[in-house]
């Protein structure tokens, strides 16, 4: 072989090696560099396994032509995606296993399927919100679909959401958990356009996540309440408390005692709509007819029931609990509304009975002292009589198979009569006469719901020492074990603290409009539910949490 031929052969080999190196570099760059842009731009279902396979067989531009079915002279790059990031939602999901993939977003032709007819409401709601077709109970699945299914065990509010292969699968042991999975998906899509690839495993830390509304002092419209229910549902709250009877007004239609109902009130038909909407969002409506105090609206129609002291002076808002007629009217109402409020929870009130705020109740209210001695023996006290009243009302409600709570200052100390063992404590204050630390209730085995007035009380007009709570303070300083003031109870009581409730009170009803209240509680509600879903350190700073809130709407 001549030197000239050898040089030509060696040059040809060098060209071939150079072209191969360039081709390999192009493939590597495509594989590593396109993922973020592709994920952001891909429509729902694009980039699933089938489409990825199709695209990996596309010819690289400029690689030459080949007949169909003929292997390309140059290999085509495989489509690649970066590892997904955890979804940004309120409350934040507890766990997300990241995967490579394009994620999911709604697209034309996408469906919502359910595995069980009991999930029809959840399926229809999600389909409408995401712009998909509700397809009912089906077992088939295709790219673009969202499938809701019941399965597994454990916490009925837990769920698993898998985004993979251009589809979304949401499963949970209970309908509530599946519903919460659809809330996560809705927030992901509305906030970022795409649900990230991977697996979310999520459940709340606390079983009680509530919002309470005082409609007795300030009437709120049916529409406003329904808007709050939709907001609460999307945030994974599960209770709406309605305080509808107080000194100022009685706000719901009554058939047993129509004479006590205020002119501005909700009809039973309106309340039924509210309850039905709440049920569809897995929110339990918790009614409260407070007694034996805060009954001014009832007393206005029945002045003979008003408590009077030894001098004959009327005691504001308090009924005379020595009279059988006082018990009868309250029991009439409790029995009547048990048919309207169908949830399993009930609030008995029990706070601020004015007969117990004087220095010597026995001397100031001799008729109560006499009734106590008659019922409980020579040592019976007015506090015993008040505790007996609370227990008797609990007996009435218990017959309707409800779980009951009462305000912490309705649990009186130093009495021979003890509150019923199944009463839960709604802990709101440490300012009452004879105030007790939360530990006293917890060490006695009581279960407690946190209504801490230091953080969770939105009192219109900011009377006394109240100031409107801020979301930032709740987010940064509060958790469910902070029951009184700013100090947390010991961690050993974690299981007895069932959760918390953010409350709006209408002490000065004209201080804010409905719209101002909605705006004022917006961030406090979001901060509260974040801490009830996961009491630990939030994954976002407060500034980041605020930006996320704005993005989610």
């Amino acid at each position: 072989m001549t030197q000239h031929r050898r040089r030509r052969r060696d040059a040809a080999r060098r060209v071939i090696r150079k072209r191969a190196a360039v081709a390999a570099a192009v493939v590597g760059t495509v594989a590593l560099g396109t993922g973020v842009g592709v994920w952001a731009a891909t429509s729902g279902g694009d980039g699933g396994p089938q489409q990825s396979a199709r695209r990996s067989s596309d010819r690289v531009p400029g690689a030459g032509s080949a007949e169909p079915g003929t292997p390309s002279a140059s290999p085509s790059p495989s489509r690649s995606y970066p590892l997904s990031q955890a979804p940004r939602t309120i409350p934040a999901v507890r766990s997300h296993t990241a995967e490579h993939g394009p994620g999911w977003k709604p697209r034309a032709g996408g469906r919502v399927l359910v595995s069980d007819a009991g999930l029809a409401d959840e399926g229809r709601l999600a389909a409408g919100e995401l712009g998909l077709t509700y397809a009912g109970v089906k077992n088939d699945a295709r790219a673009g679909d969202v499938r809701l299914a019941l399965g597994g065990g454990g916490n009925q509010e837990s769920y698993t959401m898998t985004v993979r292969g251009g589809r979304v699968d949401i499963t949970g042991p209970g309908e509530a958990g599946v519903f919460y999975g659809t809330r996560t998906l809705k927030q992901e899509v509305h906030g970022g356009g795409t649900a990230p690839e991977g697996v979310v495993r999520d459940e709340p830390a606390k079983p009680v996540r509530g919002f309470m509304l005082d409609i007795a002092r300030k009437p709120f419209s049916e529409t406003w309440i329904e808007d709050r229910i939709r907001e609460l549902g999307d945030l994974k709250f599960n209770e709406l408390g309605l305080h509808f009877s107080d000194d100022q007004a009685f706000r719901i239609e009554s058939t047993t005692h129509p004479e006590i109902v205020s002119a501005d009130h909700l009809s039973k038909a309106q309340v039924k709509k509210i309850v039905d909407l709440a049920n569809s969002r897995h929110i339990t409506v918790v009614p409260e007819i407070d007694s034996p105090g805060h009954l001014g609206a009832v007393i206005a129609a029945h002045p003979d029931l008003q408590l009077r002291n030894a001098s004959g002076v009327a005691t504001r808002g308090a009924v005379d609990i020595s009279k059988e007629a006082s018990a009868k009217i309250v029991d009439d109402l409790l029995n009547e509304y048990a048919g309207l409020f169908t949830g399993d929870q009930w609030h008995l009130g029990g706070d601020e009975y004015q007969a117990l705020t004087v220095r010597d109740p026995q001397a100031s209210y001799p008729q109560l002292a006499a009734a106590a001695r008659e019922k409980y023996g020579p040592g019976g006290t007015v506090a015993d009589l008040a505790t007996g009243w609370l227990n008797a009302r609990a007996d009435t409600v218990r017959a309707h198979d409800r779980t009951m709570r009462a305000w912490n200052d309705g649990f009186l100390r130093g009495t021979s009569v003890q509150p019923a063992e199944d009463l839960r404590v709604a802990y709101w204050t440490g300012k009452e006469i004879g105030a007790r630390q939360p530990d006293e209730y917890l060490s006695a085995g009581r279960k407690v719901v946190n209504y801490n007035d230091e953080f969770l009380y939105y009192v219109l007009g900011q009377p006394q020492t109240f100031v409107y709570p801020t979301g930032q303070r709740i987010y940064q300083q509060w958790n469910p074990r902070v029951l009184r003031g700013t100090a947390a109870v010991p961690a050993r009581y974690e299981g007895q603290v069932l959760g918390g409730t953010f409350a709006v009170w209408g002490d000065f009803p004209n201080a804010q409009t409905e719209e101002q209240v909605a705006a004022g509680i917006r961030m406090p509600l979001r901060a509260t539910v974040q801490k009830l879903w996961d009491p630990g350190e939030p994954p976002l700073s407060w500034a980041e949490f605020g930006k996320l809130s704005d993005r989610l709407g």
Side-chain angles (χ1 to χ4, degrees):
M1 182 182 296
T2 66
Q3 293 293 328
H4 178 67
R5 286 182 177 177
R6 186 178 294 110
R7 284 196 295 270
R8 281 196 304 173
R9 183 196 64 188
D10 292 344
R13 287 175 177 172
R14 286 195 296 270
V15 169
I16 290 171
R17 285 197 298 271
K18 183 176 181 180
R19 287 177 177 172
V22 170
V26 170
V27 170
T29 301
V30 171
L32 295 173
T34 62
V36 174
V38 169
W39 188 13
T42 300
S43 62
D46 286 353
Q50 294 179 348
Q51 186 157 5
S52 294
R54 284 200 306 272
R55 295 200 175 187
S56 69
S57 65
D58 289 347
R59 295 190 301 274
V60 177
S65 61
E67 294 299 322
T70 303
S72 172
S74 300
S76 300
S78 296
R79 193 167 193 191
S80 180
Y81 298 90
L83 201 61
S84 62
Q85 295 183 349
R88 292 290 182 95
T89 60
I90 298 175
V93 301
R94 305 291 295 275
S95 167
H96 176 253
T97 302
E99 295 182 5
H100 295 277
W104 180 93
K105 65 169 59 176
R107 69 175 185 180
R111 307 174 300 168
V112 175
L113 321 172
V114 297
S115 68
D116 187 286
L119 293 172
D121 289 343
E122 290 77 11
R124 290 192 180 95
L125 178 64
E129 292 169 335
L130 297 171
L132 305 177
T133 299
Y134 175 65
V137 179
K138 290 186 181 299
N139 292 320
D140 67 317
R142 62 193 188 205
D145 284 348
V146 175
R147 184 175 178 273
L148 312 181
L150 294 174
N155 187 340
Q156 294 292 294
E157 293 188 305
S158 66
Y159 68 92
T160 299
M161 183 175 74
T162 303
V163 179
R164 187 182 294 144
R167 289 174 35 210
V168 179
D169 288 277
I170 299 173
T171 62
E175 293 174 12
V178 174
F179 172 72
Y180 295 141
T182 67
R183 301 306 86 196
T184 294
L185 181 62
K186 177 184 177 182
Q187 286 195 28
E188 288 175 335
V189 170
H190 287 193
T194 302
E197 202 88 1
V199 182
V200 168
R201 292 179 178 86
D202 202 14
E203 65 178 328
K206 295 299 180 182
V208 175
R209 305 178 302 282
F211 170 62
M212 196 226 75
L213 185 64
D214 172 12
I215 64 173
R217 295 178 178 92
K218 180 179 179 64
F220 286 84
S221 67
E222 174 195 355
T223 300
W224 192 92
I225 296 171
E226 289 175 342
D227 285 344
R228 299 290 73 71
I229 289 171
R230 295 184 183 94
E231 180 181 13
L232 295 172
D234 283 352
L235 293 170
K236 305 186 178 99
F237 280 88
N238 64 358
E239 283 191 0
L240 168 65
L242 287 183
H243 177 94
F244 63 92
S245 169
D246 214 301
D247 295 339
Q248 293 79 1
F250 193 98
R251 296 288 186 191
I252 296 179
E253 173 190 358
S254 171
T255 52
T256 61
H257 290 281
E259 73 280 1
I260 70 172
V261 179
S262 304
D264 191 350
H265 66 273
L266 295 171
S267 70
K268 285 191 175 181
Q270 288 176 307
V271 174
K272 185 178 184 304
K273 280 184 60 184
I274 288 169
V275 171
D276 288 346
L277 178 62
N279 287 341
S280 75
R281 263 62 174 182
H282 295 275
I283 294 171
T284 298
V285 180
V286 185
E288 180 193 358
I289 301 176
D290 203 349
S291 78
H294 294 283
L295 283 172
V298 172
I299 292 168
H302 295 272
D304 55 309
L305 300 182
Q306 186 158 28
L307 177 66
R308 294 179 180 275
N309 67 14
S311 303
V313 177
T315 303
R316 184 174 187 268
V319 294
D320 188 333
I321 59 176
S322 69
K323 295 182 176 182
E324 287 297 325
S326 295
K328 182 181 184 306
I329 194 170
V330 174
D331 283 347
D332 287 346
L333 296 169
L334 294 174
N335 285 320
E336 175 182 357
Y337 291 110
L340 182 62
F341 295 99
T342 55
D344 63 352
Q345 302 291 316
W346 201 281
H347 200 315
L348 293 171
D351 65 316
E352 298 180 325
Y353 188 49
Q354 295 301 307
L356 298 172
T357 63
V358 299
R359 186 170 58 85
D360 187 349
Q362 278 65 232
S364 295
Y365 299 97
Q367 77 276 33
L368 299 184
R373 289 191 299 270
E374 180 180 351
K375 190 165 187 178
Y376 300 113
T381 65
V382 174
D384 287 328
L385 195 67
T387 302
W389 167 281
L390 184 65
N391 287 344
R393 307 293 76 76
D395 290 342
T396 300
V397 174
R398 193 181 295 106
H400 297 283
D401 197 25
R402 302 295 198 269
T403 298
M404 298 158 292
R405 68 190 69 166
W407 298 114
N408 63 286
D409 50 330
F411 292 77
L412 305 173
R413 71 190 319 176
T415 57
S416 60
V417 180
Q418 295 301 306
E421 291 184 359
D422 60 345
L423 281 179
R424 295 175 172 179
V425 180
Y427 197 99
W428 72 281
T429 186
K431 305 179 180 74
E432 77 276 14
I433 295 175
R436 285 177 285 173
Q437 293 289 337
D439 299 53
E440 287 196 39
Y441 305 92
L442 293 163
S443 62
R446 296 277 180 188
K447 293 181 178 179
V448 177
V449 179
N450 190 329
Y451 290 76
N452 187 339
D453 64 350
E454 177 83 12
F455 289 91
L456 305 180
Y457 262 35
Y458 193 95
V459 185
L460 298 186
Q462 303 183 107
Q464 301 172 26
T465 59
F466 289 108
V467 295
Y468 293 130
T470 67
Q472 182 173 2
R473 187 160 183 257
I474 295 168
Y475 193 78
Q476 295 176 337
Q477 300 180 28
W478 180 82
N479 68 63
R481 286 196 290 114
V482 179
L483 285 163
R484 174 180 177 173
T486 59
V489 298
R492 66 178 177 272
Y493 295 127
E494 185 74 61
Q496 289 173 244
V497 180
L498 301 178
T501 295
F502 186 90
V504 170
W505 293 100
D507 290 42
F508 288 90
N510 297 322
Q512 289 191 342
T513 65
E514 288 186 343
E515 291 74 19
Q516 288 173 321
V517 173
I521 66 176
R522 182 176 179 275
M523 289 308 295
L525 282 177
R526 283 152 178 76
T528 299
V529 81
Q530 172 60 46
K531 289 303 194 69
L532 291 169
W533 196 266
D534 184 353
E537 186 71 22
L540 302 179
S541 69
W542 173 248
E544 292 169 332
F545 189 79
K547 289 178 182 177
L548 174 61
S549 233
D550 291 342
R551 189 162 75 245
L552 296 177

